[in-house]
Amino acid sequence: MESLVISDIRARAVIAPLQRPIRTASGSIEASPLVLLDVATEQGITGRSYLFAYTPVVLRPLQALAEQFAPLLRGQPVVPLARQEQFEKQFRLLGLQGLLGMLVSGLDMAFWDAMGQASGLPVVRLLGGEARPVRAYDSWGLVDPARDAAALARSVERGFRGLKIKLGGGSLEHDLATLRELRSIVGDAVALMVDYNQSLGPGEAIRRVRALEPFGLEWVEEPVAAEDLQGHAQVRARSPIPIQTGENWWFARDAERALSAGACDRMMPDLMKIGGITGWLSVMGLARAASMPMSSHLFIEASAHVLAVTPTCDWLEFMDFGAAVLAHPCQPVDGCVTARGPGLGIDWDEAAVARYALP
């Protein structure tokens, strides 16, 4: 494979429609604010990835920050580990988190995509594995079982073996009523997960988690503030249900801190925060050493590649924020997602990109 050399970085901001808006305890996501990254090379190969900005407020800053990276990268080879070491050195005093951490992680994914395209192989093959179906769960926000009953049933009909909803928008009684109705809709064979989106204190989290035990939940996710590792450890120690966290860890050191604190039973890093594919590889080693199940958070296209080589692979979260701007959106088959290539299998629908571009 010819060595690739970076020639330019392009970033475009879009607000793409969602098939299903996501309501959480801290607010609603009605559309998908994305920054599309293109890493151009002197060899004519372009690596692609996207960033999910959570709010349109940071789209322009993220886009501007990406453009500032072009002078730092022009003429540099597409070697993901070397580039991450370069960023760690250049930003040692600032630290890799926030918008900077998101961008560094997104660029890493684009580097791997470029290498896959240059070799004509899916990234999973570059990682030493092969494309295989990874079980997925359909990820929802807050639900109204009466209003959403038909759509929830369709998730099961599509073959999803698991389903996650968000809680924390009301009282414990409301949580219990929601889960009772949800079980009646999807049946007992479907794995159920719940996500409190950091909305509780440790004491209230313990009270609620204990009350949820009869529903046979797969996990309770982020019951307390993500950075409160001791709070998570307290809840975990008194919880009859596995505690899940990790989507807000920044790079491998955050994962190590959480494991050292005993903060979780299962982990689900986010590729955009954990350091991209290169960062994921470091964390999956920690997960293997701890015998801890490892799931993904968002970014279904890239997650299918890394989960396929993860020794403690658990679940792929199916929450499709990029579909509206992709030429070939990811589609689950029998409740599973399989990595596509070459690269990460990402191609922009340029007409859609133009339609949803930030004005």
Side-chain angles (χ1 to χ4, degrees):
M1 182 176 69
E2 182 182 5
S3 178
L4 299 175
V5 177
I6 300 167
S7 60
D8 203 7
I9 306 294
R10 184 186 186 193
R12 293 177 287 176
V14 301
I15 299 180
L18 290 172
Q19 290 186 349
R20 188 172 69 214
I22 305 298
R23 295 184 300 129
T24 77
S26 57
S28 296
I29 300 172
E30 302 294 334
S32 184
L34 304 175
V35 173
L36 314 183
L37 296 176
D38 294 292
V39 175
T41 67
E42 295 178 2
Q43 291 70 30
I45 300 286
T46 298
R48 302 178 184 90
S49 69
Y50 62 87
L51 304 176
F52 174 64
Y54 288 89
T55 169
V57 172
V58 299
L59 279 177
R60 288 299 190 204
L62 259 177
Q63 182 181 18
L65 183 60
E67 291 166 353
Q68 292 296 314
F69 267 62
L72 302 178
L73 292 173
R74 287 193 188 103
Q76 298 288 340
V78 178
V79 180
L81 180 58
R83 300 287 67 77
Q84 195 147 123
E85 291 172 343
Q86 172 190 349
F87 298 145
E88 289 173 355
K89 181 178 180 181
Q90 287 182 313
F91 300 109
R92 173 69 64 188
L93 298 181
L94 178 60
L96 295 181
Q97 64 278 312
L99 301 189
L100 182 60
M102 292 164 62
L103 180 58
V104 166
S105 299
L107 287 171
D108 181 86
M109 287 187 270
F111 296 154
W112 281 97
D113 180 60
M115 292 193 306
Q117 290 190 57
S119 66
L121 296 171
V123 166
V124 65
R125 290 284 301 278
L126 302 186
L127 298 176
E130 60 183 359
R132 63 178 180 85
V134 176
R135 66 174 182 172
Y137 66 86
D138 201 8
S139 192
W140 286 68
L142 296 172
V143 299
D144 177 340
R147 183 194 63 199
D148 298 324
L152 289 163
R154 280 197 296 273
S155 289
V156 180
E157 293 166 4
R158 292 176 69 190
F160 284 110
R161 307 171 194 182
L163 191 149
K164 185 173 81 180
I165 66 168
K166 298 186 184 298
L167 296 178
S171 65
L172 171 58
E173 290 68 28
H174 182 269
D175 292 347
L176 296 174
T178 298
L179 284 172
R180 276 194 296 269
E181 294 180 55
L182 181 59
R183 267 291 178 217
S184 70
I185 294 169
V186 304
D188 294 329
V190 174
L192 288 185
M193 304 84 158
V194 299
D195 182 1
Y196 273 103
N197 280 117
Q198 313 178 62
S199 62
L200 307 174
E204 179 64 10
I206 291 168
R207 185 177 80 93
R208 294 203 187 197
V209 170
R210 285 177 168 174
L212 300 182
E213 183 179 9
F215 296 98
L217 300 179
E218 189 88 350
W219 69 62
V220 174
E221 188 174 326
E222 285 194 332
V224 301
E227 68 274 13
D228 185 2
L229 301 182
Q230 293 304 317
H232 268 96
Q234 290 173 31
V235 177
R236 180 193 178 205
R238 301 175 67 180
S239 171
I241 306 169
I243 299 300
Q244 173 78 278
T245 187
E247 69 183 70
N248 288 297
W249 293 344
W250 292 104
F251 294 80
R253 290 199 181 277
D254 266 6
E256 191 280 329
R257 292 186 188 103
L259 291 177
S260 295
C264 56
D265 299 289
R266 298 161 95 150
M267 64 164 68
M268 56 181 306
D270 181 298
L271 278 166
M272 186 184 69
K273 297 180 180 179
I274 208 64
I277 292 169
T278 302
W280 181 284
L281 298 178
S282 295
V283 174
M284 84 180 192
L286 295 175
R288 183 176 192 176
S291 299
M292 182 168 291
M294 189 168 176
S295 299
S296 64
H297 180 252
L298 308 183
F299 305 101
I300 55 179
E301 300 82 14
S303 293
H305 291 262
V306 294
L307 281 171
V309 298
T310 298
T312 58
C313 173
D314 199 9
W315 289 90
L316 180 146
E317 178 180 40
F318 196 89
M319 184 176 278
D320 195 353
F321 284 151
V325 293
L326 294 178
H328 307 288
C330 185
Q331 297 293 336
V333 177
D334 295 328
C336 296
V337 174
T338 302
R340 301 178 302 176
L344 295 175
I346 292 175
D347 289 296
W348 308 130
D349 178 340
E350 291 295 346
V353 172
R355 187 180 316 128
Y356 304 127
L358 198 65

